[in-house]
Amino acid sequence: MKAKNIIMFIAVIIVGGVLGVISKYGDVAIMGTLSGNIMSALGNLTSALFIWIAACMIIAVYSEKRMNAAINVLAFLLSMLVTYYLYSKLVVGYLAIKVVAFWGVMLIPSAILAYFIWGMRENKKLRKIVLIISAIEMVFDIFILQGADLIALLITALIFIVMLICVLFKTKKTHSTKCA
């Protein structure tokens, strides 16, 4: 295994773990103070599916190989789930086993999807399909789940733009490297 792959694997575990804690803390943050309002907004943002789709898509396309994409996404989501539910149990004192089991099972299709999403690097048609589906999910999150909240709209749109830039940059870089 290359050093680059090991570094990315460790990085996705750390980032996933940190995001899991931030996500749960945001879910239970008390509003009324600036920090509470910010953490609550982060909790709302991380409760939506789109942010995790965007993160996993970026991880997948920046992984060196298809199998690395699946492993890295699995590690990212697993570390996020572990810290989210550990925080929930140890700090909040609440843990719904059925919910944990559901998201635990969802790790498998997420890793499988990452394996195929990696192919966006070279397949323009797949890239268009995945980005369109992501855009639809983003709109659903903004208007249905978050109630057309202006701040959520702006943050989610920003995340979508970052995801597009990352995906398109990586696909152009991969394609030009391959053609050279």
Side-chain angles (χ1 to χ4, degrees):
M1 191 176 232
K2 292 182 180 180
K4 181 180 172 183
N5 293 339
I6 294 169
I7 291 168
M8 182 159 182
F9 180 76
I10 293 168
V12 298
I13 289 173
I14 292 169
V15 171
V18 169
L19 287 176
V21 171
I22 290 171
S23 181
K24 187 59 187 181
Y25 181 74
D27 287 348
V28 297
I30 298 171
M31 293 179 65
T33 64
L34 179 60
S35 64
N37 292 346
I38 291 170
M39 289 310 297
S40 182
L42 283 174
N44 288 337
L45 183 65
T46 57
S47 293
L49 191 57
F50 176 73
I51 190 171
W52 305 112
I53 291 171
C56 291
M57 192 178 306
I58 291 168
I59 291 167
V61 297
Y62 277 83
S63 296
E64 191 172 331
K65 297 178 180 176
R66 284 182 186 271
M67 189 55 71
N68 293 82
I71 291 167
N72 289 338
V73 165
L74 184 66
F76 171 75
L77 292 174
L78 181 61
S79 65
M80 187 270 301
L81 285 176
V82 167
T83 59
Y84 181 91
Y85 288 113
L86 274 176
Y87 189 97
S88 183
K89 178 66 177 165
L90 299 175
V91 177
V92 180
Y94 174 77
L95 186 66
I97 298 298
K98 288 183 180 181
V99 175
V100 176
F102 171 79
W103 288 114
V105 169
M106 293 310 294
L107 291 173
I108 303 305
S110 298
I112 293 168
L113 281 171
Y115 181 90
F116 291 104
I117 294 290
W118 184 90
M120 285 190 338
R121 294 164 48 136
E122 299 172 354
N123 186 324
K124 193 173 185 179
K125 189 179 283 187
L126 177 61
R127 186 168 49 251
K128 286 180 182 178
I129 291 168
V130 170
L131 292 175
I132 288 169
I133 291 170
S134 298
I136 291 168
E137 168 53 31
M138 178 191 71
V139 169
F140 176 79
D141 276 359
I142 290 170
F143 292 105
I144 305 300
L145 299 180
Q146 297 174 1
D149 178 9
L150 180 61
I151 294 172
L153 170 70
L154 294 173
I155 294 170
T156 305
L158 180 63
I159 291 168
F160 186 72
I161 291 166
V162 168
M163 180 191 72
L164 279 175
I165 291 168
C166 289
V167 168
L168 295 175
F169 174 76
K170 186 61 178 180
T171 55
K172 285 183 179 180
K173 186 177 173 185
T174 303
H175 183 66
S176 62
T177 304
K178 225 176 177 185
C179 294

